[in-house]
Amino acid sequence: MIEPLVSIIIPVYNVEKYLDKCLTTVVFQNYDNLQIILVDDGSTDSSLAICKKWSNKDERVEVYSKKNGGLSDARNYGLSRAKGKYISFVDPDDWISLNMVSKMVNVFSKNKVDMVTCQFVKVNNSDAKLFSYQDKKLDIVNRAGMFKLLLEDNNMTSHVWRKMYKRNLIPQNVFEVGKNFEDILAMPTLVSKCQNIACMNEGLYFYRTSNGKSIVNAISLRNIEDRFYAIKESTNEIIKLEPQLIKVANQALLIKEIDVYRNLIDSGIINDKKALPLITNIKEDLREKDYRILPGTAPKLFGYSILKSKALAILTYRLFEKQDSLFKRVLRRFKLYSERHNKRVAFKDKYLNGNDKLFVVLGVPNYGNLGDQALKFAEYNFIHSYFPNFKIVPVGLDDGFLIRNLKKKITRKDIVALQAGGNIGTLYPWIHNTLLNFLLSFKKDRVFIFPQTLYFNDGPMGKQYLQNTKSVYQQMQHFLLFTRDKFSYDFAQNRLQGARTVLMPDIALSLTPKIEESKRSGAILLLRNDSEKTLSIEDLQLLLRKVKENFGNNYLQSDTHLHFDDIDDNFAKDKLHELWNKISKSQLVITDRLHGMVFAALTNTPCIVLHSKSPKIQGVYEWVKNSEFVFLENNIDELSNTIKEALTKGNCHFNRKNIKEKFGQMAELINKL
């Protein structure tokens, strides 16, 4: 079957810092039939040179240079040269999953739809969060349903990126030139041409919010006016197209207009005489449409204040509406107190009534790092296996307020443990400090730390954190530190004198995944994009070239992180099993994540693992290298040879006899505390 041509339009303007990453993820899609259109909109930095460099390397990359006319003009220019059956837009400071195009085209091929959307991940430096998570993997909505979602601006937004369109349904010059927030203006027209739209709930687009040079992120009267114009025009257009949505549309419009007014106050622009026409327009809309349809008491009060006077509006906003207002702070504190009170009562009823021996695990994760989730479940299994008469008491990182009640109940017969992982040191300061504070509450009790990696940087921060850690450990009367790698063990022996330290395997190596038997095919890439990443853009490009040479397009990108938090145990287990099954269906794993390597070993999948900033990969590799199908790659230039060697491994089996014996020894040491 011939792949349909997909045109990806990337408007480029002064993004030399980000452009290589963006283009790497576009060029190395696991989908070949691409027309990659780069429209340089009069850049004054090296962006155009970067575009030409990519064009020289890949004939699918077309570069056009034009006089600066703005984002809308650049997108329209790109559309006029697009030849694909399908169109996608990517902003040059963002990037996309290597699977995005193939997955979207696949949805088109299997469903009678005119547009496909996906979720996106908001990235602020190394912090990445999924914008919205929905349980349903694919949702098909009609035109009215899509407009309703756009008006609600929650699960679906008006960004033209993170969507794929049929080229024949996009009008010429669909983006209004001379206006910012052109996405909001264009979306009613784009949706109006569609009968049905497929909404994927997988985060395949990565939206960078930390680009300070982004025009739409700039605070100015022009931007605020353009936003007001865009939301008003687009809402009115939706009402014309779908009159039955008028109530939803008017409410959504007023909520957004109130937000525009808040922006005027926050920025101080409200005192600029030039803002008076905008203020007048907002007030007219409130009078015409009735602010009382707004949800909640505070927005209604603020709407009333806007109608009365500017001074009253500012006062009301600062007292009641502003995020850090006294009223909001009191409400948040009251809500937090109420939630904590209810949690204390439930915690006491579930864990602290009765005479059970308690096995407390401090710092258990509720966030979407599946490596840490695997550690948690391995710890629970360990306790059930070696301490069956103990009741497991999990305490999350955010649940320090429970410790006072817990402390009253703990006796010498009980055991307190800290969650395993790579959280001791300066990589994750908040977690490190939280765990130290937890320890201080149990100085006289039996306490140990599940196998950890230690990493302190060489600067002043690292020295201070090390001193604080040493001080806390020295106060512990019955204490044992387990490390999962030789580097951390040696470091603790030399720099944390007084802390009894024992080298043990990563406890996730005790897990036995239940996986579906199937024929293996292709490669899976589990590559990180956080503070521990060490893979350069150049090395990533080399890696992807080697993957393409060996697997063609038969590879997929995934991760051991879900990019969202507040997940329960059942959900985490489901996602772990889903990932393990993906890995078990692959011929090869390539990863720079420690638990990417561990999961490959557990599923008997050949694996090439790359270094990260922490020494944990090298250290934990020592526990799995006897499998002979896990390869630690020190030289990315040798990747092709390593791939070929890995693919020769058949009937892989990870012998864990020695590891199981180690965990038995670990249980004995804990019993003797």
Side-chain angles (χ1 to χ4, degrees):
M1 180 179 175
I2 299 175
E3 294 178 335
L5 179 65
V6 177
S7 297
I8 299 180
I9 298 169
I10 306 174
V12 176
Y13 180 73
N14 289 353
V15 282
E16 60 183 5
K17 183 178 177 182
Y18 310 111
L19 190 53
D20 268 330
K21 179 164 187 174
C22 173
L23 294 179
T24 298
T25 64
V26 173
V27 167
F28 289 100
Q29 288 287 300
N30 57 2
Y31 188 96
D32 285 335
N33 199 11
L34 299 175
Q35 178 194 20
I36 303 167
I37 301 173
L38 308 182
V39 182
D40 180 72
D41 194 37
S43 294
T44 56
D45 65 1
S46 63
S47 294
L48 179 57
I50 295 171
C51 291
K52 289 179 178 178
K53 176 191 71 175
W54 280 94
S55 178
N56 290 334
K57 291 192 295 185
D58 194 316
E59 63 182 10
R60 299 173 303 166
V61 179
E62 302 175 9
V63 179
Y64 300 95
S65 184
K66 57 181 283 296
K67 184 179 178 181
N68 181 259
L71 182 57
S72 292
D73 192 47
R75 283 179 175 161
N76 287 335
Y77 190 97
L79 272 171
S80 69
R81 281 141 182 87
K83 303 170 185 174
K85 179 179 180 180
Y86 301 121
I87 303 287
S88 268
F89 298 95
V90 177
D91 282 355
D93 49 352
D94 301 334
W95 69 95
I96 59 177
S97 164
L98 302 176
N99 317 315
M100 191 181 96
V101 173
S102 62
K103 288 194 172 187
M104 286 185 155
V105 171
N106 188 51
V107 171
F108 268 118
S109 69
K110 292 183 177 180
N111 301 274
K112 193 175 180 180
V113 294
D114 300 311
M115 183 191 298
V116 177
T117 77
C118 68
Q119 279 296 344
F120 68 97
V121 178
K122 294 179 70 173
V123 183
N124 185 4
N125 297 319
S126 62
D127 182 41
K129 297 292 182 187
L130 191 71
F131 178 73
S132 175
Y133 177 77
Q134 306 293 318
D135 289 331
K136 197 172 182 180
K137 287 189 176 182
L138 185 69
D139 195 17
I140 308 292
V141 298
N142 60 18
R143 188 179 81 166
M146 183 62 169
F147 278 136
K148 187 172 184 293
L149 290 173
L150 289 171
L151 290 168
E152 292 168 350
D153 201 24
N154 186 10
N155 180 38
M156 185 56 58
T157 61
S158 291
H159 301 108
V160 295
W161 41 257
R162 70 133 155 175
K163 300 176 175 76
M164 187 174 283
Y165 313 83
K166 287 184 175 178
R167 177 64 184 94
N168 64 341
L169 297 181
I170 303 178
Q172 188 177 5
N173 297 323
V174 67
F175 297 103
E176 185 170 338
V177 177
K179 293 287 186 182
N180 293 323
F181 300 94
E182 64 291 322
D183 296 40
I184 298 174
L185 289 165
M187 196 49 61
T189 301
L190 293 168
V191 174
S192 70
K193 308 295 182 181
C194 302
Q195 294 297 314
N196 291 299
I197 296 165
C199 302
M200 303 170 64
N201 286 310
E202 185 177 357
L204 300 174
Y205 190 100
F206 293 82
Y207 168 52
R208 191 190 301 271
T209 62
S210 53
N211 179 7
K213 295 183 179 180
S214 173
I215 293 175
V216 294
N217 289 336
I219 299 173
S220 66
L221 178 58
R222 158 76 189 280
N223 261 5
I224 296 174
E225 286 175 333
D226 281 358
R227 183 185 171 209
F228 176 75
Y229 170 79
I231 59 178
K232 192 170 178 178
E233 288 295 309
S234 65
T235 304
N236 289 336
E237 185 64 24
I238 290 172
I239 291 172
K240 288 179 186 176
L241 292 164
E242 299 288 347
Q244 75 275 18
L245 293 176
I246 187 168
K247 185 176 179 180
V248 176
N250 281 333
Q251 186 180 74
L253 176 60
L254 289 186
I255 290 171
K256 292 169 185 174
E257 288 179 336
I258 291 290
D259 196 50
V260 169
Y261 203 86
R262 291 167 178 157
N263 287 345
L264 287 169
I265 296 174
D266 284 337
S267 63
I269 294 173
I270 195 166
N271 295 314
D272 187 340
K273 291 181 180 179
K274 294 178 182 177
L276 186 58
L278 177 58
I279 294 169
T280 302
N281 283 341
I282 294 174
K283 287 184 176 182
E284 287 176 353
D285 270 23
L286 283 170
R287 288 192 184 97
E288 180 184 331
K289 294 188 175 70
D290 189 356
Y291 65 89
R292 289 173 294 184
I293 68 172
L294 294 170
T297 303
K300 289 175 182 173
L301 180 61
F302 188 50
Y304 174 79
S305 301
I306 291 173
L307 290 177
K308 288 294 183 182
S309 71
K310 183 176 76 173
L312 180 60
I314 294 172
L315 177 64
T316 306
Y317 172 63
R318 288 177 176 167
L319 285 176
F320 297 102
E321 280 287 280
K322 197 171 183 179
Q323 194 62 26
D324 62 348
S325 69
L326 177 62
F327 178 71
K328 286 278 186 75
R329 292 202 305 269
V330 170
L331 275 182
R332 286 196 295 269
R333 188 172 291 273
F334 177 77
K335 183 180 179 182
L336 180 62
Y337 173 81
S338 177
E339 288 174 350
R340 286 186 170 183
H341 172 74
N342 293 336
K343 198 164 188 176
R344 279 194 192 97
V345 171
F347 183 78
K348 185 176 179 181
D349 289 344
K350 186 172 183 178
Y351 298 113
L352 305 185
N353 287 334
N355 298 313
D356 301 281
K357 289 191 292 185
L358 305 180
F359 203 119
V360 180
V361 185
L362 301 171
V364 297
N366 70 339
Y367 47 85
N369 186 318
L370 293 179
D372 286 352
Q373 292 291 338
L375 291 172
K376 176 180 69 177
F377 296 130
E379 290 161 1
Y380 292 172
N381 290 346
F382 173 84
I383 297 167
H384 285 308
S385 296
Y386 295 102
F387 300 87
N389 297 323
F390 283 71
K391 177 186 284 188
I392 299 175
V393 182
V395 178
L397 284 166
D398 295 323
D399 295 337
F401 62 92
L402 298 173
I403 287 180
R404 184 169 61 180
N405 300 81
L406 184 59
K407 178 60 183 166
K408 294 175 183 177
K409 183 72 174 177
I410 293 290
T411 68
R412 282 284 294 137
K413 69 179 182 180
D414 303 312
I415 300 173
V416 178
L418 252 64
Q419 165 81 8
N423 300 319
I424 295 179
T426 52
L427 279 177
Y428 303 99
W430 178 81
I431 298 178
H432 172 85
N433 289 327
T434 299
L435 295 178
L436 278 188
N437 288 331
F438 284 177
L439 282 181
L440 286 171
S441 298
F442 301 97
K443 290 184 286 188
K444 297 181 181 180
D445 303 301
R446 294 200 289 170
V447 179
F448 76 95
I449 299 179
F450 276 111
Q452 270 270 1
T453 292
L454 282 58
Y455 178 83
F456 295 84
N457 64 35
D458 293 328
M461 177 185 176
K463 292 177 181 178
Q464 184 61 55
Y465 272 51
L466 180 59
Q467 184 57 43
N468 293 345
T469 305
K470 185 176 179 180
S471 173
V472 171
Y473 288 2
Q474 287 175 342
Q475 296 177 57
M476 309 303 295
Q477 296 182 16
H478 310 280
F479 180 66
L480 192 54
L481 168 63
F482 293 106
T483 62
R484 62 184 178 180
D485 60 87
K486 187 67 164 52
F487 175 89
S488 297
Y489 173 78
D490 291 341
F491 183 91
Q493 292 286 88
N494 296 326
R495 307 293 296 277
L496 292 171
Q497 299 91 343
R500 187 182 172 201
T501 308
V502 180
L503 182 62
M504 283 288 161
D506 183 288
I507 198 160
L509 289 169
S510 65
L511 293 169
T512 304
K514 293 180 180 178
I515 55 178
E516 301 168 6
E517 293 296 328
S518 62
K519 185 178 179 181
R520 294 180 181 272
S521 176
I524 182 169
L525 311 181
L526 304 173
L527 301 175
R528 67 190 317 138
N529 191 60
D530 57 19
S531 59
E532 294 187 54
K533 181 187 74 171
T534 58
L535 198 64
S536 68
I537 288 294
E538 293 75 20
D539 284 347
L540 176 61
Q541 292 167 9
L542 177 58
L543 184 156
L544 293 173
R545 278 198 294 273
K546 302 303 181 185
V547 169
K548 282 241 180 221
E549 288 171 7
N550 286 276
F551 295 96
N553 286 328
N554 192 12
Y555 63 93
L556 62 91
Q557 182 179 13
S558 190
D559 201 352
T560 62
H561 206 299
L562 301 176
H563 299 305
F564 59 93
D565 300 334
D566 298 321
I567 62 177
D568 62 27
D569 285 359
N570 289 331
F571 183 87
K573 286 178 182 176
D574 288 343
K575 291 300 177 182
L576 270 171
H577 288 298
E578 187 179 305
L579 178 59
W580 288 337
N581 276 314
K582 280 184 186 177
I583 293 172
S584 69
K585 293 175 182 177
S586 303
Q587 293 172 276
L588 179 68
V589 173
I590 300 179
T591 185
D592 58 357
R593 284 195 176 274
L594 182 148
H595 285 105
M597 174 181 70
V598 169
F599 295 165
L602 294 177
T603 58
N604 298 312
T605 306
C607 175
I608 298 173
V609 60
L610 313 168
H611 284 292
S612 69
K613 185 180 295 185
S614 166
K616 60 189 180 184
I617 284 180
Q618 173 76 49
V620 176
Y621 172 74
E622 295 298 315
W623 299 108
V624 302
K625 67 180 183 181
N626 67 337
S627 63
E628 298 185 353
F629 60 83
V630 177
F631 301 83
L632 184 63
E633 183 59 78
N634 295 308
N635 184 358
I636 199 82
D637 293 324
E638 294 296 320
L639 189 62
S640 280
N641 293 332
T642 311
I643 290 174
K644 287 180 172 60
E645 185 178 356
L647 292 177
T648 65
K649 302 296 180 180
N651 299 318
C652 301
H653 175 67
F654 179 31
N655 188 334
R656 292 187 283 169
K657 182 180 178 182
N658 178 55
I659 288 174
K660 291 178 180 178
E661 290 173 354
K662 284 287 185 182
F663 289 131
Q665 296 168 17
M666 181 173 159
E668 290 176 8
L669 291 170
I670 294 167
N671 265 319
K672 293 175 182 178
L673 274 173

